[in-house]
Amino acid sequence: MFDPQVLQVVAAALKDARVIFIAAHIQPDGDCVGSQLALGHALRALGKEVALALDDKLPDNLNFLNGFREIKPREPQAEDLFVYVDGSDTGRYGKAFNRARSGARPVILIDHHITNEPFGDLNLVDPDAASTAEIIFQVIRALDVPFSPDMAQALLTGIVTDTMGFRTTPTTPETLEQGAELVRAGASIPEIIDRVYNRRSYAALRVLGYAIEHSQLQANVIWSAIDYKTLQTFGGNGNGTGGIVTQLLTVAEADISFFLAEKADGKIDLSLRSRVNADVSNAARRLGGGGHKQAAGATLPPPFETAAQRVLTALQQETKP
Ligand code: AMP
Ligand code: MN
Ligand code: MN
């Protein structure tokens, strides 16, 4: 839990500002975009001007959220206040974080990562929260703004995606209560599930098939990897590999899964997942990334050929079974 006083100070700072910059993290997901959009809608309801920043390609499967098209790569400009959501360190925001440009104007971090570096002037951080959206829910409450259907749908998207549909361990009674309130305010779980999970491209389905076909089980770790050239042969835009690591962990013999996807620039995206008896956040941190106990990630340097061994070594060093 965060300090309730910090929540009040954050709400007061947001009320005082006129133009507010809100940034989501790179390699975006439903939680950062949902949190960003919901806070943006709430601040607009208070008459504020809002700039929505994201220094990466937008995930197509979130385009059902109102306001999605206003999110674009931008750097801090003349805004009064800078809010960063759901990314644990400044590197997760790309060009959207720039102290040289934002200067002495206040920076607020709102996040729920256990590997968090509190880089804001105000840090509203709760590592026990299942999603950043749940913290934004409380911010909007503290602002005294009633939930509109757009706010509700954006927040519920954050909650549903980070809890994988209320399935992960950080899901608490409070998470479910917030979900119920958001549904009452006009949000729709069936729409979120349909748009986010049940609209994989055919190319992404075939990448999943490749990943399963080439998976390896070593002790309690299941993993798979795809190089950029092979990824290209399936066509598509490289979107949609996000769920693969979760699929791998459905294997009974495994407690940990990871998936490696080589990018065009030779760097490698690593996704890690674990059951509750293992913690992958420390291994991710050792590899230069971060995340949560049960879901973490990192960006690895080349070469692709040694990447899996590097991850296996980090897991051996860092995982307490
Ligand atoms: P993903 O596997 O991409 O869904 O990410 C799982 C979790 O790990 C998320 O909470 C991310 O915020 C975190 N994460 C992923 N990649 C990185 C990274 N390069 N640096 C820090 N955290 C990361
Ligand atoms: Mn996120
Ligand atoms: Mn999150």
Side-chain angles (χ1 to χ4, degrees):
M1 188 53 196
F2 49 76
D3 179 349
Q5 271 200 317
V6 178
L7 177 64
Q8 295 311 319
V9 179
V10 165
L14 290 167
K15 278 187 171 163
D16 277 352
R18 199 182 64 78
V19 190
I20 299 158
F21 181 96
I22 310 172
H25 63 72
I26 57 171
Q27 298 164 311
D29 52 36
D31 191 26
C32 69
V33 171
S35 294
Q36 172 185 44
L37 287 174
L39 184 61
H41 291 313
L43 291 169
R44 286 208 178 112
L46 288 172
K48 313 290 182 192
E49 213 177 292
V50 171
L52 303 176
L54 171 46
D55 190 19
D56 205 343
K57 219 163 79 55
L58 280 165
D60 303 335
N61 63 358
L62 297 174
N63 65 12
F64 68 102
L65 294 174
N66 278 331
F68 176 85
R69 280 173 192 81
E70 291 168 44
I71 306 172
K72 52 182 170 197
R74 25 175 141 228
E75 295 184 41
Q77 294 194 25
E79 297 85 4
D80 308 320
L81 180 62
F82 300 85
V83 185
Y84 295 87
V85 298
D86 194 43
S88 49
D89 57 82
T90 58
R92 295 285 288 154
Y93 296 98
K95 291 195 173 71
F97 183 88
N98 188 332
R99 270 284 190 185
R101 293 181 72 113
S102 55
R105 288 166 285 165
V107 164
I108 298 178
L109 168 64
I110 305 179
D111 186 35
H112 69 127
H113 287 85
I114 195 165
T115 55
N116 186 279
E117 285 166 23
F119 62 83
D121 300 307
L122 289 169
N123 300 288
L124 192 61
V125 176
D126 181 4
D128 295 327
S131 59
T132 294
E134 285 155 79
I135 310 174
I136 300 289
F137 180 105
Q138 299 184 63
V139 171
I140 294 176
R141 271 274 178 76
L143 288 170
D144 257 331
V145 178
F147 292 116
S148 67
D150 283 346
M151 287 176 221
Q153 189 67 332
L155 284 181
L156 195 57
T157 297
I159 295 175
V160 167
T161 52
D162 262 26
T163 62
M164 296 171 53
F166 303 105
R167 284 188 287 169
T168 56
T169 38
T171 305
T172 59
E174 289 72 31
T175 314
L176 295 165
E177 277 160 12
Q178 286 194 2
E181 179 148 354
L182 294 170
V183 171
R184 262 183 229 114
S188 160
I189 294 179
E191 183 186 38
I192 296 168
I193 298 293
D194 179 51
R195 301 300 296 243
V196 177
Y197 292 112
N198 296 344
R199 284 184 192 242
R200 220 196 285 274
S201 66
Y202 181 57
L205 182 81
R206 294 186 63 228
V207 174
L208 172 64
Y210 175 93
I212 292 173
E213 180 86 33
H214 292 81
S215 64
Q216 298 190 43
L217 181 69
Q218 276 188 29
N220 67 341
V221 182
I222 186 162
W223 60 274
S224 194
I226 188 163
D227 61 276
Y228 185 68
K229 222 172 116 210
T230 307
L231 192 59
Q232 291 300 97
T233 64
F234 291 107
N237 55 9
N239 259 355
T241 56
I244 292 174
V245 69
T246 315
Q247 289 294 321
L248 293 174
L249 198 56
T250 59
V251 168
E253 292 90 332
D255 293 315
I256 293 170
S257 66
F258 71 85
F259 182 63
L260 296 162
E262 188 184 30
K263 301 193 291 182
D265 61 5
K267 289 184 187 155
I268 305 139
D269 271 343
L270 163 67
S271 279
L272 281 154
R273 296 291 184 273
S274 68
R275 298 187 196 276
V276 283
N277 58 345
D279 175 350
V280 287
S281 65
N282 293 322
R285 202 195 316 238
R286 178 179 276 263
L287 292 163
H292 312 281
K293 287 180 184 171
Q294 263 74 59
T299 304
L300 305 183
F304 178 73
E305 289 68 29
T306 65
Q309 191 51 54
R310 280 180 272 156
V311 180
L312 288 166
T313 304
L315 284 171
Q316 273 160 11
Q317 285 160 336
E318 293 288 359
T319 312
K320 296 159 225 83

Coordinates of all heavy atoms in Angstrom, one line a residue, residues 224-297:
S224 N 11.3 -20.8 -25.1 CA 11.3 -20.9 -26.5 C 11.9 -19.5 -27.0 O 12.0 -18.6 -26.2 CB 9.9 -21.1 -27.1 OG 10.0 -21.5 -28.4
A225 N 12.3 -19.5 -28.3 CA 12.9 -18.3 -28.8 C 12.6 -18.2 -30.3 O 12.5 -19.3 -31.0 CB 14.4 -18.3 -28.5
I226 N 12.6 -17.0 -30.8 CA 12.4 -16.9 -32.3 C 13.3 -15.8 -32.7 O 13.4 -14.7 -32.2 CB 10.9 -16.6 -32.7 CG1 10.8 -16.7 -34.2 CG2 10.4 -15.3 -32.1 CD1 9.3 -16.9 -34.6
D227 N 14.1 -16.0 -33.8 CA 15.0 -15.0 -34.3 C 14.2 -14.1 -35.3 O 13.1 -14.5 -35.8 CB 16.2 -15.7 -35.0 CG 15.8 -16.5 -36.2 OD1 15.4 -17.7 -35.9 OD2 15.7 -16.0 -37.3
Y228 N 14.8 -13.0 -35.6 CA 14.0 -12.0 -36.4 C 13.7 -12.5 -37.8 O 12.6 -12.2 -38.3 CB 14.9 -10.7 -36.4 CG 14.1 -9.5 -37.1 CD1 13.0 -9.0 -36.5 CD2 14.5 -9.1 -38.4 CE1 12.3 -8.0 -37.1 CE2 13.8 -8.1 -39.0 CZ 12.7 -7.5 -38.4 OH 12.0 -6.5 -39.0
K229 N 14.7 -13.2 -38.4 CA 14.5 -13.7 -39.8 C 13.3 -14.6 -39.8 O 12.4 -14.5 -40.7 CB 15.7 -14.3 -40.3 CG 16.1 -14.0 -41.7 CD 17.4 -14.5 -42.1 CE 17.2 -15.5 -43.2 NZ 18.3 -16.6 -43.2
T230 N 13.2 -15.5 -38.9 CA 12.1 -16.5 -38.8 C 10.8 -15.8 -38.6 O 9.8 -16.0 -39.2 CB 12.4 -17.6 -37.7 OG1 13.7 -18.1 -37.9 CG2 11.3 -18.6 -37.8
L231 N 10.8 -14.8 -37.6 CA 9.6 -14.0 -37.3 C 9.1 -13.4 -38.6 O 7.9 -13.4 -38.8 CB 10.0 -13.0 -36.3 CG 8.9 -12.2 -35.6 CD1 7.9 -13.2 -34.8 CD2 9.4 -11.2 -34.6
Q232 N 10.0 -12.9 -39.4 CA 9.6 -12.2 -40.6 C 8.9 -13.2 -41.6 O 8.0 -12.8 -42.3 CB 10.8 -11.6 -41.4 CG 11.4 -10.4 -40.6 CD 10.5 -9.3 -40.5 OE1 9.9 -9.1 -39.4 NE2 10.3 -8.5 -41.5
T233 N 9.3 -14.4 -41.6 CA 8.7 -15.4 -42.6 C 7.2 -15.6 -42.3 O 6.5 -16.0 -43.1 CB 9.4 -16.8 -42.5 OG1 9.2 -17.3 -41.2 CG2 10.9 -16.7 -42.8
F234 N 6.8 -15.3 -41.1 CA 5.4 -15.5 -40.8 C 4.5 -14.2 -41.2 O 3.3 -14.3 -41.1 CB 5.2 -15.7 -39.3 CG 5.7 -17.1 -38.8 CD1 6.9 -17.2 -38.1 CD2 5.0 -18.2 -39.2 CE1 7.3 -18.4 -37.7 CE2 5.5 -19.5 -38.8 CZ 6.7 -19.5 -38.0
G235 N 5.2 -13.2 -41.6 CA 4.5 -12.0 -42.0 C 4.0 -11.3 -40.7 O 4.5 -11.5 -39.6
G236 N 3.0 -10.4 -40.9 CA 2.5 -9.7 -39.7 C 3.4 -8.6 -39.3 O 4.4 -8.4 -40.0
N237 N 3.1 -8.0 -38.2 CA 3.9 -6.8 -37.8 C 4.7 -7.1 -36.5 O 5.2 -6.1 -35.9 CB 3.0 -5.6 -37.6 CG 1.9 -5.9 -36.6 OD1 1.9 -6.9 -36.0 ND2 0.9 -5.0 -36.5
G238 N 4.8 -8.3 -36.1 CA 5.6 -8.6 -34.9 C 4.7 -8.5 -33.7 O 5.1 -8.8 -32.6
N239 N 3.5 -7.9 -33.8 CA 2.6 -7.7 -32.7 C 2.1 -9.1 -32.3 O 2.0 -10.0 -33.2 CB 1.4 -6.9 -33.1 CG 1.5 -5.5 -32.6 OD1 2.5 -5.1 -31.8 ND2 0.6 -4.6 -32.9
G240 N 1.7 -9.3 -31.1 CA 0.9 -10.5 -30.8 C 1.7 -11.6 -30.3 O 1.2 -12.8 -30.1
T241 N 3.0 -11.4 -30.0 CA 3.8 -12.5 -29.4 C 3.7 -12.4 -27.8 O 4.3 -13.2 -27.1 CB 5.3 -12.3 -29.8 OG1 5.8 -11.0 -29.4 CG2 5.5 -12.5 -31.3
G242 N 3.0 -11.4 -27.3 CA 2.9 -11.2 -25.9 C 2.4 -12.4 -25.1 O 2.8 -12.6 -24.0
G243 N 1.4 -13.1 -25.6 CA 0.8 -14.2 -24.8 C 1.6 -15.5 -24.8 O 1.2 -16.5 -24.1
I244 N 2.6 -15.6 -25.6 CA 3.3 -16.9 -25.8 C 3.9 -17.4 -24.5 O 3.8 -18.6 -24.2 CB 4.4 -16.7 -26.9 CG1 3.8 -16.5 -28.3 CG2 5.3 -18.0 -26.9 CD1 4.7 -16.2 -29.4
V245 N 4.6 -16.5 -23.8 CA 5.2 -16.9 -22.5 C 4.2 -17.5 -21.5 O 4.5 -18.4 -20.8 CB 6.0 -15.7 -21.9 CG1 5.1 -14.6 -21.4 CG2 7.0 -16.2 -20.9
T246 N 3.0 -17.0 -21.6 CA 1.9 -17.4 -20.7 C 1.5 -18.8 -21.1 O 1.2 -19.7 -20.3 CB 0.7 -16.5 -20.7 OG1 1.3 -15.1 -20.6 CG2 -0.2 -16.7 -19.5
Q247 N 1.3 -19.0 -22.4 CA 1.0 -20.3 -22.9 C 2.0 -21.4 -22.5 O 1.6 -22.5 -22.2 CB 0.9 -20.3 -24.5 CG -0.3 -19.5 -25.0 CD -1.6 -20.1 -24.7 OE1 -1.8 -21.3 -24.7 NE2 -2.6 -19.3 -24.3
L248 N 3.3 -21.0 -22.6 CA 4.3 -22.0 -22.2 C 4.2 -22.5 -20.8 O 4.4 -23.6 -20.5 CB 5.7 -21.4 -22.5 CG 6.1 -21.1 -23.9 CD1 7.4 -20.3 -23.9 CD2 6.2 -22.3 -24.7
L249 N 3.7 -21.6 -19.9 CA 3.7 -21.9 -18.5 C 2.4 -22.7 -18.2 O 2.2 -23.1 -17.0 CB 3.7 -20.6 -17.6 CG 4.1 -20.9 -16.1 CD1 5.4 -21.7 -16.0 CD2 4.1 -19.6 -15.4
T250 N 1.6 -23.1 -19.2 CA 0.5 -24.0 -18.9 C 1.0 -25.5 -18.8 O 0.2 -26.4 -18.4 CB -0.6 -23.9 -20.0 OG1 0.0 -24.3 -21.2 CG2 -1.2 -22.6 -20.1
V251 N 2.3 -25.7 -19.1 CA 2.9 -27.0 -19.0 C 3.1 -27.4 -17.5 O 3.7 -26.7 -16.7 CB 4.2 -27.0 -19.8 CG1 5.0 -28.3 -19.5 CG2 3.9 -26.9 -21.3
A252 N 2.6 -28.6 -17.2 CA 2.6 -29.0 -15.7 C 4.0 -29.1 -15.2 O 4.2 -28.9 -14.0 CB 1.8 -30.3 -15.6
E253 N 4.9 -29.6 -16.0 CA 6.3 -29.8 -15.4 C 7.0 -28.5 -15.1 O 8.1 -28.6 -14.5 CB 7.1 -30.6 -16.5 CG 6.6 -32.0 -16.7 CD 5.6 -32.2 -17.8 OE1 4.8 -31.2 -18.1 OE2 5.5 -33.2 -18.4
A254 N 6.5 -27.4 -15.6 CA 7.3 -26.1 -15.5 C 6.8 -25.3 -14.4 O 5.6 -25.2 -14.1 CB 7.2 -25.4 -16.8
D255 N 7.7 -24.6 -13.7 CA 7.3 -23.5 -12.7 C 7.7 -22.1 -13.3 O 7.3 -21.1 -12.8 CB 8.1 -23.7 -11.4 CG 7.6 -25.0 -10.7 OD1 6.4 -25.2 -10.7 OD2 8.5 -25.8 -10.3
I256 N 8.6 -22.1 -14.3 CA 9.1 -20.9 -14.9 C 9.0 -21.0 -16.4 O 9.3 -22.1 -17.0 CB 10.5 -20.6 -14.5 CG1 10.6 -20.3 -12.9 CG2 11.2 -19.4 -15.2 CD1 12.0 -20.3 -12.4
S257 N 8.6 -19.9 -17.1 CA 8.7 -19.9 -18.6 C 9.4 -18.7 -19.0 O 9.3 -17.6 -18.3 CB 7.3 -20.0 -19.2 OG 6.6 -18.9 -18.9
F258 N 10.1 -18.7 -20.1 CA 10.5 -17.5 -20.8 C 10.5 -17.6 -22.3 O 10.5 -18.7 -22.8 CB 11.9 -17.0 -20.2 CG 13.1 -17.8 -20.6 CD1 13.8 -17.6 -21.8 CD2 13.6 -18.8 -19.7 CE1 14.9 -18.3 -22.1 CE2 14.7 -19.5 -20.1 CZ 15.4 -19.3 -21.3
F259 N 10.4 -16.4 -22.9 CA 10.3 -16.4 -24.4 C 11.2 -15.3 -24.8 O 11.2 -14.2 -24.2 CB 8.9 -16.1 -24.8 CG 8.7 -16.1 -26.3 CD1 9.0 -17.3 -27.1 CD2 8.3 -15.0 -27.0 CE1 8.9 -17.2 -28.5 CE2 8.2 -15.0 -28.4 CZ 8.5 -16.1 -29.1
L260 N 12.0 -15.5 -25.9 CA 12.9 -14.6 -26.4 C 12.5 -14.3 -27.9 O 12.3 -15.2 -28.7 CB 14.3 -15.2 -26.5 CG 14.9 -15.5 -25.1 CD1 16.1 -16.5 -25.3 CD2 15.4 -14.2 -24.4
A261 N 12.4 -13.0 -28.2 CA 12.1 -12.6 -29.6 C 13.1 -11.6 -30.0 O 13.3 -10.5 -29.4 CB 10.7 -12.0 -29.7
E262 N 13.9 -11.9 -31.1 CA 14.9 -11.0 -31.6 C 14.2 -9.9 -32.3 O 13.3 -10.1 -33.1 CB 15.9 -11.8 -32.5 CG 17.1 -11.0 -32.9 CD 17.9 -11.7 -33.9 OE1 17.4 -12.5 -34.7 OE2 19.2 -11.4 -33.9
K263 N 14.7 -8.7 -32.2 CA 14.2 -7.5 -32.8 C 15.0 -7.1 -34.1 O 16.1 -7.6 -34.2 CB 14.0 -6.3 -31.9 CG 13.2 -6.7 -30.6 CD 12.8 -5.5 -29.8 CE 14.0 -4.9 -29.2 NZ 13.6 -3.7 -28.3
A264 N 14.5 -6.2 -34.8 CA 15.2 -5.8 -36.1 C 16.6 -5.2 -35.8 O 17.5 -5.5 -36.6 CB 14.3 -4.7 -36.8
D265 N 16.7 -4.6 -34.6 CA 18.1 -4.0 -34.3 C 19.0 -5.0 -33.6 O 20.1 -4.6 -33.2 CB 17.9 -2.8 -33.4 CG 17.2 -3.1 -32.1 OD1 17.0 -4.3 -31.8 OD2 17.0 -2.2 -31.3
G266 N 18.6 -6.3 -33.6 CA 19.5 -7.3 -33.0 C 19.3 -7.5 -31.5 O 19.7 -8.5 -30.9
K267 N 18.7 -6.5 -30.8 CA 18.4 -6.7 -29.4 C 17.3 -7.7 -29.2 O 16.6 -8.0 -30.2 CB 17.9 -5.4 -28.8 CG 19.1 -4.4 -28.7 CD 18.6 -3.1 -27.9 CE 19.7 -2.0 -28.0 NZ 19.1 -0.7 -27.8
I268 N 17.2 -8.2 -28.0 CA 16.2 -9.4 -27.8 C 15.3 -9.0 -26.7 O 15.7 -8.7 -25.6 CB 17.1 -10.6 -27.5 CG1 18.1 -10.9 -28.5 CG2 16.1 -11.8 -27.3 CD1 19.4 -11.4 -28.0
D269 N 14.0 -9.2 -27.0 CA 13.0 -9.0 -26.0 C 12.8 -10.3 -25.2 O 12.6 -11.3 -25.7 CB 11.6 -8.7 -26.6 CG 11.4 -7.2 -26.9 OD1 12.1 -6.4 -26.3 OD2 10.5 -6.9 -27.7
L270 N 12.9 -10.1 -23.8 CA 12.8 -11.3 -22.9 C 11.5 -11.1 -22.1 O 11.3 -10.1 -21.5 CB 14.0 -11.4 -22.0 CG 13.8 -12.3 -20.8 CD1 13.6 -13.7 -21.2 CD2 14.9 -12.1 -19.8
S271 N 10.7 -12.1 -22.1 CA 9.5 -12.2 -21.2 C 9.7 -13.4 -20.3 O 9.9 -14.5 -20.8 CB 8.2 -12.3 -22.0 OG 7.8 -11.1 -22.5
L272 N 9.4 -13.2 -19.0 CA 9.5 -14.2 -18.0 C 8.2 -14.4 -17.2 O 7.6 -13.3 -16.9 CB 10.6 -13.9 -17.0 CG 12.1 -14.1 -17.3 CD1 13.0 -13.1 -16.6 CD2 12.5 -15.5 -17.1
R273 N 7.9 -15.6 -16.9 CA 6.7 -15.8 -16.1 C 7.0 -16.9 -15.1 O 7.8 -17.8 -15.4 CB 5.5 -16.3 -16.9 CG 5.0 -15.2 -17.9 CD 4.3 -14.0 -17.2 NE 3.7 -13.1 -18.2 CZ 4.4 -12.1 -18.8 NH1 5.7 -11.9 -18.5 NH2 3.8 -11.3 -19.7
S274 N 6.3 -16.9 -13.9 CA 6.5 -18.0 -13.0 C 5.2 -18.3 -12.2 O 4.3 -17.5 -12.1 CB 7.6 -17.7 -12.0 OG 7.2 -16.7 -11.1
R275 N 5.2 -19.6 -11.7 CA 4.1 -19.9 -10.8 C 4.5 -19.3 -9.4 O 5.6 -18.8 -9.2 CB 4.0 -21.4 -10.6 CG 3.6 -22.1 -11.9 CD 3.4 -23.6 -11.7 NE 3.4 -24.3 -12.9 CZ 2.3 -24.4 -13.7 NH1 1.2 -23.9 -13.4 NH2 2.4 -25.1 -14.8
V276 N 3.6 -19.3 -8.5 CA 3.8 -18.6 -7.2 C 5.0 -19.2 -6.4 O 5.5 -18.5 -5.5 CB 2.5 -18.6 -6.3 CG1 1.6 -17.6 -6.8 CG2 1.9 -20.0 -6.2
N277 N 5.4 -20.4 -6.7 CA 6.6 -20.9 -5.9 C 7.9 -20.4 -6.4 O 8.9 -20.8 -5.9 CB 6.5 -22.5 -5.9 CG 6.6 -23.0 -7.4 OD1 6.4 -22.3 -8.3 ND2 6.9 -24.3 -7.5
A278 N 7.9 -19.6 -7.4 CA 9.2 -19.0 -8.0 C 9.0 -17.5 -8.2 O 7.9 -17.0 -8.3 CB 9.6 -19.7 -9.3
D279 N 10.2 -16.8 -8.2 CA 10.2 -15.3 -8.3 C 11.1 -15.0 -9.5 O 12.3 -15.3 -9.3 CB 10.6 -14.7 -7.0 CG 10.8 -13.2 -7.0 OD1 10.7 -12.7 -8.1 OD2 11.0 -12.6 -6.0
V280 N 10.6 -14.4 -10.5 CA 11.5 -14.1 -11.7 C 11.9 -12.7 -11.7 O 12.7 -12.3 -12.6 CB 10.8 -14.5 -13.0 CG1 10.8 -16.1 -13.2 CG2 9.4 -14.0 -13.2
S281 N 11.5 -11.8 -10.8 CA 11.8 -10.4 -10.8 C 13.3 -10.2 -10.6 O 13.9 -9.3 -11.3 CB 11.0 -9.6 -9.8 OG 11.3 -10.0 -8.5
N282 N 13.9 -10.9 -9.8 CA 15.4 -10.7 -9.5 C 16.2 -11.1 -10.7 O 17.2 -10.4 -11.0 CB 15.8 -11.4 -8.3 CG 15.2 -10.9 -7.0 OD1 15.0 -9.6 -6.9 ND2 14.8 -11.7 -6.1
A283 N 15.9 -12.2 -11.3 CA 16.6 -12.6 -12.5 C 16.5 -11.6 -13.6 O 17.4 -11.2 -14.3 CB 16.1 -14.0 -13.0
A284 N 15.3 -11.0 -13.8 CA 15.0 -9.9 -14.8 C 15.9 -8.7 -14.5 O 16.5 -8.1 -15.3 CB 13.6 -9.6 -14.8
R285 N 16.0 -8.4 -13.2 CA 16.8 -7.2 -12.8 C 18.2 -7.5 -13.1 O 18.9 -6.6 -13.5 CB 16.5 -7.0 -11.3 CG 16.9 -5.5 -10.9 CD 17.0 -5.3 -9.4 NE 16.0 -5.9 -8.6 CZ 15.3 -5.2 -7.8 NH1 15.3 -3.9 -7.7 NH2 14.4 -5.9 -7.0
R286 N 18.7 -8.7 -12.8 CA 20.1 -9.1 -13.0 C 20.4 -8.9 -14.5 O 21.5 -8.6 -14.9 CB 20.3 -10.5 -12.6 CG 21.7 -11.0 -12.8 CD 21.9 -12.4 -12.3 NE 22.2 -12.5 -10.9 CZ 23.4 -12.6 -10.4 NH1 24.4 -12.8 -11.2 NH2 23.6 -12.7 -9.1
L287 N 19.4 -9.1 -15.3 CA 19.6 -9.0 -16.8 C 19.3 -7.6 -17.3 O 19.2 -7.4 -18.5 CB 18.7 -10.0 -17.5 CG 19.1 -11.5 -17.3 CD1 17.9 -12.4 -17.6 CD2 20.3 -11.9 -18.1
G288 N 19.2 -6.7 -16.4 CA 19.0 -5.3 -16.8 C 17.6 -4.8 -17.0 O 17.3 -3.7 -17.4
G289 N 16.6 -5.7 -16.6 CA 15.2 -5.4 -16.7 C 14.5 -5.3 -15.4 O 15.2 -4.8 -14.4
G290 N 13.3 -5.7 -15.3 CA 12.6 -5.6 -14.1 C 11.2 -6.3 -14.2 O 11.0 -7.0 -15.1
G291 N 10.3 -6.0 -13.2 CA 9.0 -6.5 -13.3 C 8.4 -6.9 -12.0 O 8.8 -6.3 -11.0
H292 N 7.6 -8.0 -12.0 CA 7.0 -8.5 -10.8 C 7.5 -9.9 -10.5 O 8.2 -10.5 -11.3 CB 5.5 -8.5 -11.0 CG 4.9 -7.3 -11.6 ND1 4.6 -6.2 -10.8 CD2 4.5 -6.9 -12.9 CE1 4.2 -5.2 -11.6 NE2 4.1 -5.6 -12.8
K293 N 7.1 -10.4 -9.3 CA 7.5 -11.8 -9.0 C 7.1 -12.8 -10.1 O 7.9 -13.6 -10.5 CB 6.9 -12.2 -7.7 CG 7.6 -11.5 -6.5 CD 6.9 -12.0 -5.2 CE 7.5 -11.2 -4.0 NZ 6.8 -11.5 -2.8
Q294 N 5.9 -12.7 -10.5 CA 5.4 -13.7 -11.5 C 5.4 -13.3 -12.9 O 5.1 -14.1 -13.8 CB 4.0 -14.1 -11.1 CG 3.9 -15.3 -10.2 CD 4.3 -15.1 -8.8 OE1 3.8 -14.3 -8.1 NE2 5.3 -15.8 -8.3
A295 N 5.8 -12.0 -13.2 CA 5.8 -11.6 -14.6 C 6.9 -10.5 -14.7 O 6.8 -9.4 -14.1 CB 4.5 -11.0 -15.0
A296 N 8.0 -10.8 -15.5 CA 9.0 -9.8 -15.6 C 9.6 -9.8 -17.0 O 9.2 -10.7 -17.8 CB 10.1 -10.1 -14.5
G297 N 10.5 -8.9 -17.2 CA 11.1 -8.9 -18.6 C 12.3 -8.1 -18.6 O 12.7 -7.4 -17.6

